[in-house]
Amino acid sequence: MTVIKADKLCKLYKNGRGISDISFEVEEGDIVGLLGPNGSGKTTTMKIIVGLCKPQSGSLFIFGKQADENIHRLLKDIGVLIEAPAVFTDMTAEQNMKMAARYYDGVDAGRIDAVLDAVHLLSYKKEKAGKFSLGMKQRLGLALALLSNPKLLVLDEPTNGLDIEGMVEIREIIHSLNKKYGTTFLIASHLAAEVEKTCTKVAVMDEGKLISSTTMDKALELSPTLEDYFLRSVRSVRKDTLL
C-alpha cells in the first residue's frame, strides 16, 4: 500500500525559498528519511503532507486518497511532530496527554499509559514537563503524536539537540513501533549518520529540490556511508547546474 504519493509539489515563498517539483512515494512499513541541510525544504514538504500549508501546484495522495479533499479525515491516522513539541511545561506528562486526548475518540487512561510506556515516560507521568530534559520533552512530544494510534508518523528533526543517549532512545522507539505495529515513518533530518542508522529509505533534498531517492541498502552500495552518498548526490547536481 502506498501511504504517501507526492507528485510535483511546489510551494515557493516570497523570499524565494520553498520547494519545487517534489515527487516521491512512501510505502506501508517504510521508514523514510528526508535528508538535507537547513533550508532545503524538508519542513515545507512535511507541512504540506499534514495539511499545515497548501502547495501552489502538484498533487498529494495519503492512503490512496487525494489529500486536499480529505486531509481532515486523514489526520486521525497521522501522528505529527514538527518543530518544537507542543508541551505545556506547567502541566505533568499525564495532564499533557489528557489535554491532547480530548481531540481523539477512544483514547482512555489505559491508552495514555500504554503510549507513555512506549516512550519510556510512564514512571514520570506525574512530573511536570518543565522539569524534563530536552530528550524527555522530545519523547513526550512523540507520545502526543502516538496518542491516536496513527498508521503514519511524520517527524521533523526528532533528535535535534539531543545527546547520544537521547538520539539512541528515539531511534529505538522508532524501530520498536515499526517492527511491532508496522507503523510507517517519514522523518526529516540534517544528520546523515542518524538517518543511516534509523531509516530504510532515504530521499536527499537540497535547495528546495529532491535530488535522489533510494533504499538505504542501495545508497550504501554506492557509497561507504550515507554522508558520502549525500555529498556525492548534491555535488553532482550542483556541478551540472554550473555547467
Side-chain angles (χ1 to χ4, degrees), residues 15-136:
N15 62 6
R17 290 194 171 187
I19 60 172
S20 178
D21 292 326
I22 299 293
S23 299
F24 67 95
E25 294 186 8
V26 177
E27 301 297 321
E28 186 175 16
D30 281 347
I31 306 176
V32 177
L34 291 180
L35 176 62
N38 295 330
S40 60
K42 304 185 301 296
T43 299
T44 296
T45 301
M46 288 188 152
K47 285 183 175 180
I48 290 173
I49 289 170
V50 302
L52 291 177
C53 68
K54 292 185 178 182
Q56 292 157 336
S57 61
S59 59
L60 175 67
F61 292 84
I62 309 288
F63 306 119
K65 298 179 180 179
Q66 194 155 8
D68 57 356
E69 299 173 357
N70 302 277
I71 189 62
H72 295 296
R73 281 180 288 173
L74 295 171
L75 284 175
K76 66 182 179 64
D77 291 318
I78 304 175
V80 181
L81 179 56
I82 292 181
E83 297 173 341
V87 171
F88 294 97
T89 56
D90 60 339
M91 298 171 64
T92 67
E94 184 180 42
Q95 288 169 335
N96 270 280
M97 298 291 281
K98 287 181 176 179
M99 178 77 71
R102 298 183 304 168
Y103 298 97
Y104 304 109
D105 295 328
V107 177
D108 56 15
R111 174 63 185 169
I112 288 173
D113 281 357
V115 171
L116 287 174
D117 189 39
V119 299
H120 315 310
L121 285 178
L122 185 58
S123 59
Y124 301 97
K125 74 176 186 177
K126 300 295 185 182
E127 291 191 19
K128 287 189 176 182
K131 296 182 179 180
F132 284 3
S133 66
L134 182 59
M136 292 172 73

Side-chain angles (χ1 to χ4, degrees), residues 9 29 104 109 226 230:
L9 293 178
Y104 304 109
L226 189 61
F230 170 82

